[in-house]
Amino acid sequence: MFGALPSVTGRTPGAIPRPRRCRVRRWYEDALGWPTAPGDPVRLALGVRFDVLDVPAEAGAAALRRLGPRSPVAVRGGRVQLLVAAGSAEELPGLLEWLDWGTLPLDLRALGSGACLQAPLPPEASPREEAPSLRVPDARSAGGTDVTGVPSPPGTGDAGVPSPSGADVPPPRAPGPGAGRPLPLGRLGSQGAAVWLRPPEPGCEVEASLPTLSALGGGGDAPDLVRLVDTVATHCHRVRLRRAGAQPPASRTQGR
């Protein structure tokens, strides 16, 4: 499913040296209490503490405004991995149907019970020159747009994309971890290895920060999974339409 770093030292592509690998596993299991799967590389067992929504960078950038400041987010290979409440992967198909997205092909994947996620390096173990960042495409320029914690200009929605008429654009949240720096895909993220964009915090129960269905209409602090899914589905659809519009006319005709 995911790419890997090219091997330049004879080691398995993307492999972490054994001493550091042991420290990574201990950090997840002891400091965070997150279960890991046996074997190498270090992988996080999903469906226990959380599930994951895997989306394109543009949809992930839009999703940041739907998350709480403590909601963990990872980046890998040009995609964003959003941690959501355990069980959300099973709810996704029905949720997409309810939101009228069920009949459209969306580049949106849900990973839950039985699946694993490559464990990003803990923040203190990530080299400074490989700091996590995220770069999203911009239809107005070929170079892309850096997404920061700065609110979008008036008349635009998440990630600076114009909002459809009547769209509910949330007010900007207070900056959280990872919000005060530019987000271009870093060298690791762009080549396939996972990095934390918003890392989890040891000593904090991750479940309280995750989008969940139970937040719908509630007064708690947990992000609303329904609004999050609607946001990422909207941007996944925009990405699909943009890619289709970029194809030569002959290719679009053949694809019908």
Side-chain angles (χ1 to χ4, degrees):
M1 181 184 298
F2 299 111
L5 287 169
S7 178
V8 294
T9 61
R11 294 198 304 266
T12 302
I16 303 172
R18 184 172 297 275
R20 189 195 299 183
R21 196 161 58 232
C22 294
R23 292 197 300 271
V24 169
R25 192 179 298 276
R26 285 198 302 269
W27 187 75
Y28 281 106
E29 294 183 347
D30 299 341
L32 296 178
W34 293 6
T36 63
D40 295 325
V42 180
R43 296 170 299 152
L44 305 177
L46 302 181
V48 182
R49 301 288 301 271
F50 52 83
D51 289 352
V52 165
L53 292 184
D54 180 86
V55 301
E58 179 179 319
L64 295 181
R65 296 170 62 88
R66 292 292 187 190
L67 300 175
R70 296 183 184 275
S71 300
V73 178
V75 179
R76 188 182 185 197
R79 298 184 66 83
V80 175
Q81 296 164 338
L82 309 167
L83 273 61
V84 294
S88 298
E90 297 178 4
E91 300 284 354
L92 183 64
L95 191 52
L96 289 172
E97 287 286 346
W98 185 68
L99 292 167
D100 292 330
W101 289 111
T103 60
L104 296 175
L106 301 173
D107 189 9
L108 165 62
R109 298 193 290 265
L111 307 175
S113 181
C116 293
L117 181 74
Q118 179 185 311
L121 282 177
E124 64 272 14
S126 300
R128 290 185 179 180
E129 65 272 14
E130 294 172 347
S133 53
L134 177 64
R135 193 175 186 86
V136 299
D138 187 344
R140 294 165 299 181
S141 64
T145 299
D146 287 341
V147 179
T148 67
V150 179
S152 300
T156 63
D158 301 322
V161 179
S163 301
S165 177
D168 177 21
V169 180
R173 297 182 181 272
R181 55 188 172 187
L183 310 176
L185 269 175
R187 187 154 57 90
L188 278 179
S190 62
Q191 295 188 23
V195 292
W196 282 116
L197 180 62
R198 290 184 178 177
E201 299 181 22
C204 297
E205 291 295 325
V206 70
E207 287 83 356
S209 68
L210 300 180
T212 175
L213 272 179
S214 62
L216 179 62
D221 294 330
D224 182 357
L225 180 65
V226 175
R227 301 181 105 191
L228 174 68
V229 169
D230 195 34
T231 296
V232 297
T234 298
H235 285 266
C236 284
H237 184 53
R238 290 179 182 179
V239 170
R240 175 175 172 269
L241 292 178
R242 184 183 302 123
R243 290 172 179 171
Q247 293 179 358
S251 299
R252 293 200 298 270
T253 303
Q254 293 172 1
R256 291 176 183 173

